[in-house]
């Protein structure tokens, strides 16, 4: 097994190569406005560091969000293109699951929440049990509306760190790591579990929409 994993659902443009047992190479760059520019160079970097060619890969793993439309589609389109060109299966993993896996690896014990910044003063979030399994979500909500649901629970992710009043026990990691995203996929594949399809979890409509009631102009 040799997985190429990447995620563009958050400001982190992150990619990794995983051999089914451990991360072989990983690189992350934080830039919320340059997903399209940074992703392919980051992918090339981790393949070089892993000493692997694209033809050596057995699958592609991509974070499916939730995340903003513009950044998220960069990763998903790239995954689809690579899968088609290399004739590889493409697996989706919830971005919050990768963040939760990183938190558990850092020693976080007990139930907790993971939250990323959804902008518009909202967060994408999910709850996890003591084993790191997702038990609710992902959802998008205003932090103030979550106070009772997350009270007393540790929280990880940029969304939690951004709203300490709602997530008073917020801590790192701040962004998802492709290495942990790949680890989630490798564990599930080894257990024979199904992964998500490479379909985006937007959770809300994009900002750009066709205006309602516009006047059609027909040729004379």
């Amino acid at each position: 097994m040799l997985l190429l994993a990447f995620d563009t659902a958050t400001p982190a443009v992150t990619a990794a190569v995983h051999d089914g047992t451990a991360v072989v190479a990983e690189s992350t760059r934080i830039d919320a406005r340059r997903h399209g520019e940074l992703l392919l160079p980051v992918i090339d970097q981790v393949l070089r560091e892993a000493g692997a060619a694209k033809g050596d890969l057995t699958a592609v793993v991509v974070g499916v969000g939730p995340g903003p439309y513009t950044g998220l589609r960069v990763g998903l389109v790239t995954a689809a293109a690579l899968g088609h060109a290399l004739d590889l299966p493409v697996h989706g993993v919830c971005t919050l699951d990768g963040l939760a896996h990183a938190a558990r690896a850092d020693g976080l014990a007990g139930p907790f929440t993971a939250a990323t910044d959804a902008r518009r003063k909202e967060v994408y979030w999910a709850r996890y049990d003591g084993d790191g399994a997702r038990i609710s979500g992902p959802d998008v909500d205003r932090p103030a509306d979550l106070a009772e649901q997350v009270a007393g629970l540790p929280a990880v992710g940029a969304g939690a760190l951004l709203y300490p009043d709602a997530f008073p026990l917020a801590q790192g990691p701040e962004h998802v790591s492709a290495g942990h995203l790949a680890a989630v996929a490798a564990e599930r594949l080894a257990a024979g579990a199904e992964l998500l399809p490479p379909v985006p979890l937007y959770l809300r409509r994009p900002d750009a929409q066709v205006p309602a009631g516009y006047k059609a102009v027909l040729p004379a």
Side-chain angles (χ1 to χ4, degrees):
M1 180 186 296
L2 193 66
L3 306 176
L4 170 65
F6 48 87
D7 190 292
T8 58
T10 74
V13 180
T14 179
V17 175
H18 195 288
D19 66 3
T21 302
V23 175
V24 180
E26 181 175 13
S27 179
T28 299
R29 303 186 192 179
I30 309 299
D31 194 323
R33 298 180 180 275
R34 299 177 62 214
H35 295 88
E37 295 176 48
L38 295 175
L39 179 58
L40 288 178
V42 169
I43 288 174
D44 287 341
Q45 177 185 342
V46 296
L47 287 172
R48 278 196 314 272
E49 292 179 359
K54 292 184 178 71
D56 298 326
L57 299 171
T58 58
V60 175
V61 177
V62 62
V64 297
Y69 177 80
T70 303
L72 184 53
R73 66 179 177 177
V74 171
L76 288 162
V77 169
T78 301
L82 287 173
H84 178 74
L86 301 172
D87 193 25
L88 294 174
V90 180
H91 304 295
V93 173
C94 175
T95 297
L96 293 171
D97 289 357
L99 188 59
H101 190 279
R104 290 282 297 164
D106 285 349
L108 182 60
F112 63 97
T113 63
T116 58
D117 182 15
R119 304 173 186 171
R120 304 184 193 173
K121 298 182 179 180
E122 294 180 330
V123 293
Y124 298 117
W125 71 288
R127 288 185 60 170
Y128 295 83
D129 65 16
D131 295 321
R134 178 157 39 95
I135 56 176
S136 69
D139 295 298
V140 58
D141 289 291
R142 290 184 176 275
D145 297 336
L146 303 176
E148 292 186 7
Q149 298 182 61
V150 302
L153 292 177
V156 299
L161 293 166
L162 192 59
Y163 299 100
D165 290 343
F167 300 95
L169 301 180
Q171 58 187 276
E174 183 174 0
H175 298 297
V176 68
S177 149
H180 287 284
L181 199 78
V184 171
E187 291 170 7
R188 292 177 182 175
L189 288 170
E194 289 190 15
L195 281 85
L196 297 175
V199 177
L201 292 172
Y202 290 132
L203 300 190
R204 65 186 181 203
R205 296 179 64 84
D207 293 332
Q209 299 182 35
V210 176
Y214 66 91
K215 183 182 294 184
V217 178
L218 301 176

